[in-house]
Amino acid sequence: MPSKPKVPGLIKGLGVTMSTMFRTLKDGANTVQYPHEKETPPTRARGVIALHEDNCTACMLCSRSCPDWCIYIEGHKQLAPPRRAGGKPRQVNHLDRFDIDYALCMYCGICVDVCPFDALFWSPEYEYSEPRIADLLHDKTKLGEWMETVPEAPELEVGAQKK
Amino acid sequence: MGLVDRGRMPAPLTKLFNMGRSYSMWVYQWGLACCAIEMGAAFGSPRYDVMRLGVIPLPASPRQADLVVVSGTVTDKMAPAVKRLYEQMPEPKYVISMGSCANCGGPYWDSYSVTKGVDQIIPVDVYVPGCPPRPEALLEGIVLLQQRIKNEDMAAKWRNEEFTTLQKTAALEKAKSQPAPEPIVVGGGPIE
Amino acid sequence: MTVLNERQQLSYIAAQAADARLNVELETEGMTLNIGPQHPATHGTLRIIARLDGEQVVWAEPVAGYMHRGYEKLTEVRTFPQVTALINRIDWLGSFANEVPFILAAEQLMEIEAPPRAQYIRTILFELSRIANVSLFLGDLGVQMGAITPVFMAFRDREYVLNLIEGATGGRFHPNFDRIGGLKDDLPKGWIAETKQVMKKLRTFCDEIEDLLFGNEIFQSRTRGVGIIPADVAKSYGMTGANLRASGVDWDLRRDQKNAMVWDQADFKVWTHPDGDSWARCWIRLQETREATKIVDQLIDNIPAGPVMTKVPRIIKVPAGEAWVSTENPLGEMGYYVVSKGDLGPFRVKIRSASFNNISITPWVLKGVYVPDIITILASLYFILGDIDR
Amino acid sequence: MSDTATGTDETAALPGDGLREGIVDRLRSDLGEHLLDTYLIPHTDLWVRVSAEAWGQTAAALKAQGFDHFCFLSALDWLPSPFGKGEDDPDAEPVAISTELVQGYTGGETRFQVFARLTDIKRHVGVTIKADVPESMSVPTWLPHFAGANWHERETHEMFGIGFEGHPDLRNLYLPGEFEGFPLRKDFPLLSRMVKPWPGIVDVEPMPVAAQEGDGES
């Protein structure tokens, strides 16, 4: 054992507790009063995936790269009006079904990364608990509703190279 | 509690009981994996502080708990222990399944040693999504459960039936007996 | 020597007899004590079966496997990006640190290296996850000894670090931010300034914990001289990290191994302690948290400008070969032995996790200790169940 | 990695890594013909393959050299997985999967190999040791040399079914008692992947004929 300290450890510890108490009295408590006020997660937070349906071409990339196999897509091909006047009608994929099973999702973000058409976005929302597990399967209408909560991508730090 | 068993409790008393139950839930923490730390943050950190909601995370044993939060991966080796623990809890009891692993197996859905969701062993009342869910997401799940309890028909719960609200039981009883000249409104509002 | 009178002699004899009777009564039949699988002292679901003689442990054996999720099998059916997303759940407290050795191993096989800016950010996030991990240990330590205050403080200050990690990566716990060849994204604006603020707070936290816990006489008497592990035993059990350094072995992969990381750009001290007891292990970890904040402070001002991603094909196929890369993770040496056959995913990944080796010493170290010391020794060895069972 | 050597004769001619070459030379003088093959990436890593009989002897020899820190011990199954990833179309023609064994660095002859790693803390160098597992599915234990090998050998026994002669206690470490099979063998199927259809199989349905004729606008 080393030589005895001048101030006993017990007193020191009580000092820390006391100073914390005074700080709390001065600055207010650390607590976020949850149901009444909510903390705002950072813009990049991975809370829920939103779908911008117009951009989706049902290319299946997200579904195939999902490690959990929790994205279900169905679609069919149909003709769309030509881009230029007088052109031939184009064949496009029409999205019939886009479901994400949030009970199974591991929130890795691979689907958002691989999407080449900017159809999937992360939203920081997190309040969607359900009493029934089947309700955690969000269909494309519900995924589309999440789009409103998607924040702008943050600016980058100094020295970052623009992509 | 014979009165409760037979469902002979006046509605205002039920409401009072329900409110009391929803704001004094002793929660047993079944922390298993990553989610356990987020559950610890929700229960133990001054930032979230679950005691504000009337949830007390310090029961001495599952015998004294009303609610169990299963947070994390339930493996096949663990499953019997989870079930035994649940059986020890007194009725009425509630289960919150927290995170993808407890909901459905999550990232380990194809593993040879992981149970695909805790609801295969014990009934679950609220599923909280996330991997892991933020502590506030768990608080939301708890608030949701409290809303349900406030509206619950205690007698039905005691009889181990499916979740039924006061309104539903009242409607059933009304259909059985003669239609009363004036409908008696019992119970609280709809579940949010 | 004073001569006892008859009365004193009689009382002395009576006391001796009482002592003897007490000894006979205390001599119990052997008893088996089962701790766990769900017990606050086991940090999750480690189960310990201890054979007791009275209050002393004759034999103790941890039973692992309650959290075995089959990582090594799952990596065989996943692609490289999917494996990266999966493996940060092994040690769930320092999750970014789990990704790095795997990514480095894949990069070694592909013979590429991340750009300097990515290396700096990686190192900073690595140290942040170390702080997030070890600060919870420091708080939890108090709980094991009956002091509840530290854990509240740890959770309070840990939130700041988690906010930083989430602000940059998007995940509080599981960043999945590392990519083969660099990082997913650059840092958001204002992150560096915030990090500096938080590092100041964390240093205050370390001072508070030191005053609150490490100076406390009760804490010292419960940890000093308890659970001593000599250096050669520690090495033959393959212990790493703070547990090894607490036994006086000066071995830190951040300093002693060359990786595509920038720890060599920072000036930090590798702390060792000659005692090898519980106190030494806890104290080393406290110092390491301090050093980690210093590393972050030194690196964060010197992040070079440039890209965070080198050129890699969009669909990654790692060439055939074998690579072993390990780094000094919060819990100790964590390494991945990656065997690739040129496919989209690895052929086999052997995950060498630190806690598995660290905790395999428990039958040796628990032999002969008293029951309350089981808890302090386990707490000071510091393991995470996911890291043992994988 | 062009400047590598698999042959034992070329090792001396290599530029650079004198440290690891010295280790190999000393190991060769200790083990003699039991050192079957070596593989060296200069300044990076070293692999050696020894015969199964000399598995325990190698540990002792390396420990005498200063490799006193035990890192890990496990096994490799070189059989290509007969099941793939479960991401195939059940209606498509099954693609024949070759069952040819292609071993990694330092080669080998058998399907199973045990491998382990030791570290020299003083010289900051590590070495990976491999050995072919013979038909008897059993190799000598490392317990007398490294106490930490205990759990690793139990894990390897449980996951691959490889025995360790002289290990007193090869109980299951992870899996519940009633579990059957050796999960890390390549021919152990992951049932969930077999049962659940891969959502990536379904492709976008071709354009219905009616749509082609009728409403081209929609």
Side-chain angles (χ1 to χ4, degrees):
Chain A
M1 287 288 263
S3 60
K4 280 213 163 150
K6 280 182 192 141
V7 187
L10 200 67
I11 306 288
K12 261 190 189 171
L14 286 174
V16 171
T17 327
M18 196 72 105
S19 68
T20 312
M21 190 185 84
F22 283 127
R23 205 168 55 210
T24 314
L25 285 176
K26 197 164 117 273
D27 304 337
N30 210 315
T31 315
V32 180
Q33 301 286 339
Y34 166 66
H36 311 296
E37 55 173 323
K38 284 164 194 169
E39 61 173 2
T40 36
T43 41
R44 279 185 184 170
R46 296 201 292 260
V48 66
I49 298 167
L51 169 73
H52 188 56
E53 203 190 324
D54 297 345
N55 283 357
C56 181
T57 60
C59 67
M60 307 292 297
L61 264 178
C62 50
S63 178
R64 281 177 190 159
S65 61
C66 177
D68 281 2
W69 299 7
C70 72
I71 305 179
Y72 308 96
I73 301 176
E74 277 166 25
H76 66 268
K77 281 189 167 35
Q78 65 180 26
L79 287 178
R83 281 219 179 83
R84 288 164 315 203
K88 276 167 73 179
R90 297 171 295 137
Q91 250 194 23
V92 293
N93 294 340
H94 184 263
L95 189 66
D96 295 322
R97 175 185 177 212
F98 193 104
D99 293 350
I100 297 182
D101 188 353
Y102 283 110
L104 194 55
C105 178
M106 68 188 268
Y107 297 77
C108 60
I110 289 179
C111 51
V112 181
D113 286 351
V114 297
C115 182
F117 303 106
D118 281 347
L120 293 172
F121 297 91
W122 277 112
S123 151
E125 284 297 309
Y126 51 86
E127 294 172 298
Y128 49 105
S129 306
E130 296 285 354
R132 281 174 54 224
I133 198 163
D135 294 338
L136 281 175
L137 185 84
H138 288 198
D139 59 4
K140 66 178 179 178
T141 0
K142 201 158 179 188
L143 291 172
E145 282 164 15
W146 291 119
M147 264 317 278
E148 290 167 20
T149 60
V150 174
E152 289 277 311
E155 279 186 74
L156 296 182
E157 191 60 90
V158 194
Q161 205 171 57
K162 293 278 176 296
K163 276 179 192 167
Chain B
M1 275 306 197
L3 269 181
V4 181
D5 260 350
R6 275 166 272 145
R8 296 262 175 81
M9 273 216 307
L13 195 61
T14 309
K15 278 218 75 165
L16 187 71
F17 269 34
N18 279 349
M19 208 163 95
R21 285 194 307 140
S22 69
Y23 288 128
S24 67
M25 278 196 287
W26 289 72
V27 51
Y28 194 75
Q29 314 171 28
W30 193 253
L32 296 171
C34 336
C35 295
I37 311 294
E38 289 291 61
M39 182 180 71
F43 289 173
S45 123
R47 192 173 169 78
Y48 301 105
D49 188 17
V50 83
M51 295 255 232
R52 292 178 296 117
L53 302 173
V55 174
I56 305 142
L58 312 158
S61 81
R63 284 275 190 208
Q64 282 150 282
D66 307 304
L67 165 67
V68 62
V69 178
V70 180
S71 53
T73 323
V74 183
T75 56
D76 289 344
K77 194 169 176 178
M78 198 69 189
V82 173
K83 189 162 171 57
R84 189 179 301 172
L85 167 107
Y86 176 76
E87 281 161 359
Q88 282 178 42
M89 288 167 60
E91 291 281 349
K93 49 193 171 186
Y94 302 92
V95 179
I96 290 183
S97 150
M98 181 186 183
S100 290
C101 294
N103 288 349
C104 232
Y108 319 103
W109 64 277
D110 50 349
S111 171
Y112 52 86
S113 60
V114 173
T115 311
K116 314 291 178 278
V118 73
D119 49 1
Q120 300 197 350
I121 335 167
I122 57 179
V124 175
D125 293 279
V126 171
Y127 296 88
V128 181
C131 192
R134 306 174 73 78
E136 293 210 334
L138 177 63
L139 297 191
E140 197 241 341
I142 289 174
V143 170
L144 183 75
L145 184 70
Q146 286 177 335
Q147 299 283 357
R148 275 167 70 94
I149 294 178
K150 277 187 208 164
N151 248 301
E152 194 181 29
D153 184 2
M154 267 175 88
K157 177 79 186 176
W158 225 278
R159 291 192 297 265
N160 247 337
E161 288 172 14
E162 284 282 289
F163 177 80
T164 30
T165 59
L166 285 171
Q167 290 94 328
K168 200 175 168 189
T169 326
L172 281 175
E173 277 178 9
K174 208 174 80 180
K176 266 191 229 162
S177 61
Q178 289 289 347
E182 270 185 58
I184 306 160
V185 180
V186 284
I191 317 162
E192 281 163 41
Chain C
M1 198 175 159
T2 49
V3 182
L4 300 173
N5 61 27
E6 196 174 335
R7 193 185 165 81
Q8 276 170 326
Q9 272 183 358
L10 273 177
S11 74
Y12 179 77
I13 291 165
Q16 288 282 310
D19 268 6
R21 198 162 58 236
L22 203 67
N23 280 343
V24 169
E25 276 168 11
L26 273 184
E27 217 169 76
T28 47
E29 296 260 315
M31 172 181 134
T32 307
L33 179 69
N34 178 42
I35 308 174
Q38 176 70 355
H39 188 271
T42 57
H43 298 249
T45 50
L46 185 74
R47 178 174 164 202
I48 296 199
I49 299 169
R51 186 99 191 131
L52 306 181
D53 176 21
E55 187 77 345
Q56 227 168 8
V57 178
V58 180
W59 164 94
E61 166 95 30
V63 181
Y66 286 99
M67 202 35 59
H68 178 64
R69 295 164 290 186
Y71 270 98
E72 291 179 16
K73 186 75 179 177
L74 297 189
T75 53
E76 289 171 10
V77 288
R78 276 161 169 71
T79 62
F80 277 94
Q82 289 176 347
V83 174
T84 320
L86 185 71
I87 54 176
N88 46 38
R89 284 156 177 81
I90 295 177
D91 158 19
W92 46 67
L93 284 176
S95 39
F96 185 81
N98 290 333
E99 299 173 12
V100 171
F102 180 75
I103 293 286
L104 290 177
E107 282 177 356
Q108 188 179 320
L109 284 171
M110 290 178 79
E111 296 179 57
I112 54 171
E113 207 166 84
R117 187 177 173 84
Q119 291 188 15
Y120 268 79
I121 299 175
R122 261 184 201 172
T123 315
I124 289 168
L125 283 170
F126 196 103
E127 291 303 315
L128 283 181
S129 60
R130 180 189 310 278
I131 296 168
N133 188 326
V134 182
S135 61
L136 189 64
F137 161 79
L138 293 171
D140 192 54
L141 199 55
V143 177
Q144 316 289 347
M145 322 262 167
I148 305 207
T149 322
V151 80
F152 295 129
M153 294 197 165
F155 267 122
R156 180 195 69 200
D157 287 328
R158 199 167 159 271
E159 283 294 322
Y160 301 123
V161 185
L162 289 185
N163 277 357
L164 282 181
I165 295 177
E166 186 176 30
T169 66
R172 273 165 67 91
F173 267 54
H174 303 313
N176 189 20
F177 193 58
D178 226 342
R179 296 285 183 273
I180 293 175
L183 293 170
K184 182 184 151 208
D185 212 343
D186 212 302
L187 299 172
K189 204 175 173 68
W191 194 83
I192 290 179
E194 204 191 328
T195 308
K196 285 184 190 165
Q197 291 290 325
V198 171
M199 287 305 112
K200 270 188 206 142
K201 278 183 193 160
L202 258 297
R203 272 194 289 275
T204 324
F205 163 73
C206 287
D207 294 344
E208 281 180 355
I209 286 285
E210 187 160 21
D211 284 350
L212 205 59
L213 211 57
F214 284 78
N216 191 303
E217 288 81 2
I218 303 168
F219 178 79
Q220 292 207 358
S221 69
R222 283 203 64 183
T223 49
R224 288 237 174 197
V226 171
I228 297 174
I229 301 173
D232 54 333
V233 177
K235 280 194 278 190
S236 89
Y237 272 97
M239 289 176 81
T240 42
N243 293 335
L244 186 64
R245 285 191 286 277
S247 298
V249 182
D250 193 9
W251 168 247
D252 190 322
L253 293 168
R254 290 178 290 176
R255 183 195 59 195
D256 298 335
Q257 204 171 52
K258 266 203 78 60
N259 280 333
M261 304 279 277
V262 289
W263 282 299
D264 49 350
Q265 303 296 318
D267 180 32
F268 64 99
K269 182 169 163 54
V270 177
W271 291 89
T272 56
H273 200 288
D275 284 2
D277 56 2
S278 295
W279 198 84
R281 290 190 282 273
C282 303
W283 183 82
I284 294 269
R285 290 213 171 82
L286 175 75
Q287 300 303 333
E288 272 186 10
T289 320
R290 283 214 179 106
E291 293 298 328
T293 61
K294 283 181 199 156
I295 294 174
V296 172
D297 269 352
Q298 287 171 35
L299 293 180
I300 202 147
D301 284 327
N302 304 327
I303 301 180
V308 289
M309 193 74 190
T310 182
K311 277 205 173 65
V312 284
R314 207 168 60 80
I315 292 169
I316 288 174
K317 282 193 176 181
V318 173
E322 295 174 32
W324 158 262
V325 175
S326 61
T327 51
E328 186 73 28
N329 276 39
L331 295 162
E333 180 186 13
M334 174 155 205
Y336 294 87
Y337 190 92
V338 180
V339 183
S340 175
K341 287 212 168 169
D343 291 331
L344 290 172
F347 180 76
R348 161 124 169 80
V349 180
K350 162 69 194 167
I351 303 166
R352 190 263 188 223
S353 55
S355 294
F356 185 74
N357 281 32
N358 286 353
I359 214 68
S360 68
I361 202 173
T362 40
W364 187 88
V365 74
L366 288 183
K367 202 170 277 179
V369 304
Y370 291 105
V371 171
D373 290 342
I374 298 179
I375 308 301
T376 55
I377 290 171
L378 279 182
S380 74
L381 279 174
Y382 190 38
F383 53 91
I384 284 176
L385 246 289
D387 209 37
I388 300 175
D389 291 351
R390 300 189 295 274
Chain D
M1 311 283 166
S2 53
D3 50 353
T4 52
T6 44
T8 44
D9 300 328
E10 299 152 32
T11 328
L14 272 174
D17 210 340
L19 173 65
R20 290 185 173 81
E21 284 163 23
I23 294 164
V24 172
D25 288 343
R26 204 165 145 200
L27 194 61
R28 186 172 295 122
S29 69
D30 284 343
L31 295 179
E33 59 184 11
H34 286 300
L35 182 70
L36 298 176
D37 206 349
T38 62
Y39 187 87
L40 187 106
I41 301 176
H43 306 295
T44 309
D45 219 338
L46 169 67
W47 286 263
V48 297
R49 184 162 68 90
V50 299
S51 66
E53 307 90 71
W55 179 243
Q57 198 190 336
T58 314
L62 283 169
K63 195 173 182 182
Q65 269 200 48
F67 287 89
D68 54 356
H69 184 263
F70 172 76
C71 192
F72 70 80
L73 186 150
S74 188
L76 291 157
D77 180 0
W78 290 108
L79 182 81
S81 168
F83 302 107
K85 293 184 173 176
E87 297 182 348
D88 314 307
D89 193 344
D91 304 327
E93 290 266 315
V95 187
I97 298 168
S98 95
T99 52
E100 191 193 355
L101 303 176
V102 183
Q103 278 86 356
Y105 294 166
T106 71
E109 276 125 39
T110 53
R111 178 180 157 192
F112 290 102
Q113 281 185 331
V114 282
F115 75 124
R117 195 176 167 83
L118 295 176
T119 320
D120 184 341
I121 284 178
K122 288 216 174 62
R123 287 187 286 176
H124 302 165
V125 61
V127 57
T128 308
I129 310 111
K130 290 185 183 176
D132 290 348
V133 177
E135 287 291 315
S136 62
M137 287 301 278
S138 177
V139 291
T141 176
W142 269 21
L143 260 186
H145 314 291
F146 295 100
N150 182 356
W151 277 27
H152 289 261
E153 288 180 357
R154 275 172 70 183
E155 185 196 6
T156 310
H157 174 71
E158 176 179 14
M159 292 292 164
F160 289 94
I162 295 171
F164 290 89
E165 290 156 30
H167 192 292
D169 185 24
L170 282 175
R171 276 176 300 138
N172 271 8
L173 184 64
Y174 286 142
L175 299 167
E178 64 270 27
F179 195 89
E180 281 178 16
F182 302 106
L184 273 181
R185 285 192 181 180
K186 288 281 177 182
D187 49 10
F188 183 89
L190 286 174
L191 284 176
S192 302
R193 278 190 174 254
M194 314 264 131
V195 173
K196 184 174 174 176
W198 187 42
I201 289 172
V202 278
D203 213 338
V204 176
E205 284 170 27
M207 200 157 54
V209 187
Q212 226 165 10
E213 292 165 355
D215 45 353
E217 289 296 300
S218 66

